[in-house]
Amino acid sequence: MDPYEIKIKNYLKMGEILQGWARNADTVPATVGDFRAQVPSNVAELADEFKDEDPLQIFNAPDQKVVSIMLPHPDDLDLPPPSPYTLPDFYDEAYNATLVTPPEEEHNFRSKRIADYALRKCV
């Protein structure tokens, strides 16, 4: 597992947890240990490189009336895209198909994903 990745094992349950944090700021974890205490390992996990005392940075999207753009971290742009990039299983379930990006389209698909996620509030 990538040391900076949150590996999601149950997208539905993780989405419900995130919605709970968005609705109640008092429940938002402040450290990796808090995250691990609130999120069961069968829902999502952080790499072992993160220590329980490490801070966790979580922020709310701005108000709908504010134009927001979330840029990727520059270091992430230097990493090769995962190849082939496959969408999470819940897309396959929703569309009753296996969606796989052809290797020759990886670069273009990654650029399109960055544009989509950076400029739209994907909720």
Side-chain angles (χ1 to χ4, degrees):
M1 172 166 45
D2 180 324
Y4 300 105
E5 177 184 9
I6 297 175
K7 183 172 182 164
I8 301 172
K9 297 177 178 178
N10 184 326
Y11 284 89
L12 176 60
K13 183 64 179 165
M14 191 67 230
E16 291 169 351
I17 291 169
L18 292 168
Q19 290 177 66
W21 293 344
R23 287 187 174 96
N24 184 353
D26 293 337
T27 63
V28 174
T31 67
V32 168
D34 294 341
F35 177 92
R36 289 179 174 144
Q38 290 188 41
V39 180
S41 62
N42 66 340
V43 173
E45 65 181 12
L46 296 169
D48 292 337
E49 286 84 355
F50 290 107
K51 304 301 176 216
D52 284 347
E53 61 275 5
D54 288 344
L56 192 65
Q57 184 179 28
I58 295 179
F59 53 91
N60 287 65
D63 185 274
Q64 290 287 346
K65 296 176 183 165
V66 175
V67 175
S68 62
I69 299 173
M70 182 176 158
L71 299 176
H73 192 280
D75 291 347
D76 292 340
L77 299 175
D78 294 332
L79 298 172
S83 190
Y85 178 82
T86 55
L87 294 168
D89 290 343
F90 64 85
Y91 283 95
D92 293 343
E93 295 165 8
Y95 296 104
N96 197 27
T98 301
L99 306 173
V100 179
T101 305
E104 66 274 10
E105 287 296 317
E106 281 297 320
H107 175 78
N108 291 343
F109 186 70
R110 183 181 195 193
S111 293
K112 291 173 186 177
R113 287 185 63 231
I114 290 170
D116 183 34
Y117 295 149
L119 298 177
R120 293 179 44 202
K121 295 178 184 173
C122 297
V123 293

